[in-house]
Amino acid sequence: MIDPPYNTRSAFSHYDDNLEHSLWLSLMYPRLELLRELLTEDGSIWVSIDDNEAHYLKVMMDEVFGRVNFVANVVWQKKYAVANDHKTIAPMHDHLLVYRKTDRWQRNLIPRTEEKDRQYKFEDEKGVFRNSDYTCSKSFEERPNLYYAVIQPNTGEEIWPSKTRVWAYSKEEHLRHVAEGFIYWGKDGLGRTPSFKRYKHLLRNQGVVPQTLWLHEYASHTDASRKEVRTVLGSSSLADDFITPKPEGLILRVLEIATNPSDLVLDSFAGSGTTGAVAHKMNRRWIMIEMGDHAQTHCQPRLKKVVEGEQGGISKAVNWQGGGGFHYFRLGETIFDEYGSIHHNVKFAALAAHIWFCETRVPLANRADSPLLGIHNDTAYYLLYNGILGDRRPQSGNVLTQAVLDSLPKHSGRKIIYGEASRFGKPRLEAENIVFKQIPYDVRAV
Ligand SMILES: C[S@@+](CC[C@H](N)C(=O)[O-])C[C@H]1O[C@@H](n2cnc3c(N)ncnc32)[C@H](O)[C@@H]1O
């Protein structure tokens, strides 16, 4: 689920939402391509957007995900009050463009509502049921086989469909319904209009097929989202100045249809952290990415409160009691360029952090400022790098020479040394207990 900036030409304090149309599209395109790569084969992507870019985004998503994988354009009624001062036609909705990665994606049915259940107001020895019409709107000419007399079992009267309709079932099916007690003739059993008993326990599925029209009663509205953020973060300006959060009720509906407990939900435009908050309360795993400061000022405190069991948003609806946890990471500089090569501008500290993480699988605690990055499981990790990629001059500091080895902080155990080149042969490296790894070839993305 992503909720990127809509490009609505209004200046938001947290991000630039006023980009050139083409620039907006060219920012979205590579991100969508990447998101497609990250999506599981049985996964789906939901993108919220308004009328400014929705139709261009649809075309772009067709290209990235394939038209065959377009699932739906959900129309969400984001407002319940019309802006009466609007000069033309007041917008009341946003879109959710839904694509699947492949045809392996399966949507869930949505839980039956109490209102639907209330239709089951009759009961007999077999269970609760509702009545459904025993006729259909075809004519005798169209379906002569569905035009026949049924017998009222208690009066013996022959009953025919009205002139403009026929029965909804063939005679054989009708006789089976009679034998199995599926026909309702009114409370006293003397009615003249048969209806079909639809037993609740015989429903093929206990849910309801999701639809493309989501009214605010079903999927909440933007007023609610502002209150939700205010409730979690306190009525500080912090909560108030983030003006475009989504309501938890909307994300609940998305995750209900698209995911199951313990599935992984990614939101790469986290904003105030609604997707993570809802995913957490619904026992889904989640990853959120946010480039603005509100990763720290909004997402982190919000998710802490969720873990502590805050009772706003959808908490009561899903009986959220708190629990679980999360990690908060600050992304480092980009190490690789778009071709997968080490970026020519990469600095020592960024490369050091990357190498340390790849080798040890734990983040480097402090910003590296020495060739000895640290010692992990009795192996010392060194990085020889002066900040100039490809600089192989022996005196550059990037090359493992006797002088460089003498200058490095000592470690008696195993040493892994990254550098542009090594002047030592294999026997010498073995004798010194050194594994030499060459930049850039031995620096991997993961
Ligand atoms: C419309 S808001 C999302 C609101 C969110 N759904 C919520 O409920 O709070 C879009 C967010 O995307 C962030 N953003 C924009 N470009 C980004 C990028 N390239 N990477 C990560 N976040 C980005 C913005 O800082 C902004 O917080």
Side-chain angles (χ1 to χ4, degrees), residues 16 70 245 342:
D16 184 359
F70 170 67
I342 297 186

Side-chain angles (χ1 to χ4, degrees), residues 74-78 92-94 214 219-222 246-247 250:
V74 171
V75 171
W76 167 55
Q77 187 195 3
K78 63 179 171 183
M92 301 292 285
H93 70 275
D94 275 355
W214 293 10
S220 197
H221 46 78
T222 42
K246 289 286 177 285
L250 174 69

Side-chain angles (χ1 to χ4, degrees), residues 49-66:
I49 197 73
D50 72 1
D51 279 333
N52 282 289
E53 298 288 1
H55 308 87
Y56 303 95
L57 180 65
K58 164 76 170 62
V59 174
M60 197 161 74
M61 292 189 76
D62 278 346
E63 189 174 313
V64 174
F65 293 90

